[in-house]
Amino acid sequence: METSAQTDSSRPRIRWVRTVIGGVVLGLVVVLVGNLLFPEPREASEPPLLRGLPQTYEAATGALTDRARARFPVGTPESAVIAELLAQGFKVSPPSHYAQWQRKGVPCVQIARIWWSAEQNRVTKIEGLRNALCT
């Protein structure tokens, strides 16, 4: 049987836990409502190479490949490709001739990839891919 002293000493702990949980829930609600009312424009966070691509991933992949080939035609110095993709926010792995951009979201992570081949530090082939990984 609990004494009134034991019951009184557990109440501050319960109040503290309720306060913390309430604060966390309130913070999550504020963030959610803020994102719903003031979403970041989709294209504002995308690199110029990706802006305005078609909505389907298959069409977007073809359009991205076309854009990459137009922007970096055969013969372009590989250093120019790397510099441009880095400037646009891609993560570049020069030894593998590969660059990736991603935007994390729920439930999907949006991804764009650019691959290229080079000989004597000049682009010989370039392709793009636009897709998403969803949980």
Side-chain angles (χ1 to χ4, degrees), residues 50 53-69 111-115 126-132:
L50 305 180
L53 288 174
Q55 295 299 311
T56 65
Y57 292 118
E58 184 177 343
T61 291
L64 179 56
T65 294
D66 291 345
R67 285 183 186 185
R69 288 175 179 167
I111 297 172
R113 294 181 176 125
I114 304 285
W115 289 275
I126 193 161
E127 294 188 23
L129 172 72
R130 185 77 164 98
N131 66 357

Side-chain angles (χ1 to χ4, degrees), residues 4 21 23 28 40 49 54 62 64 72 79 81 84-85 94:
S4 64
I21 291 172
L28 290 172
E40 180 179 353
L49 198 60
L64 179 56
F72 310 111
S79 60
V81 173
E84 176 78 19
L85 293 174

Side-chain angles (χ1 to χ4, degrees), residues 84-97:
E84 176 78 19
L85 293 174
L86 284 171
Q88 289 196 28
F90 283 80
K91 292 183 180 177
V92 179
S93 176
S96 62
H97 305 275

Side-chain angles (χ1 to χ4, degrees), residues 3-135:
T3 66
S4 64
Q6 289 174 331
T7 304
D8 289 342
S9 68
S10 66
R11 285 190 180 152
R13 274 188 253 144
I14 292 172
R15 278 191 219 127
W16 180 83
V17 169
R18 285 182 182 165
T19 302
V20 169
I21 291 172
V24 168
V25 169
L26 180 62
L28 290 172
V29 168
V30 167
V31 168
L32 179 62
V33 169
N35 284 334
L36 291 174
L37 294 176
F38 308 103
E40 180 179 353
R42 180 176 169 258
E43 292 193 353
S45 63
E46 291 181 334
L49 198 60
L50 305 180
R51 292 186 188 151
L53 288 174
Q55 295 299 311
T56 65
Y57 292 118
E58 184 177 343
T61 291
L64 179 56
T65 294
D66 291 345
R67 285 183 186 185
R69 288 175 179 167
R71 179 67 187 93
F72 310 111
V74 170
T76 300
E78 187 175 19
S79 60
V81 173
I82 293 168
E84 176 78 19
L85 293 174
L86 284 171
Q88 289 196 28
F90 283 80
K91 292 183 180 177
V92 179
S93 176
S96 62
H97 305 275
Y98 169 82
Q100 178 171 297
W101 171 88
Q102 68 181 29
R103 179 179 53 221
K104 293 181 180 171
V106 175
C108 299
V109 176
Q110 300 297 317
I111 297 172
R113 294 181 176 125
I114 304 285
W115 289 275
W116 66 93
S117 299
E119 290 180 15
Q120 298 178 352
N121 296 318
R122 300 269 179 194
V123 171
T124 57
K125 181 180 179 182
I126 193 161
E127 294 188 23
L129 172 72
R130 185 77 164 98
N131 66 357
L133 297 174
C134 302
T135 57

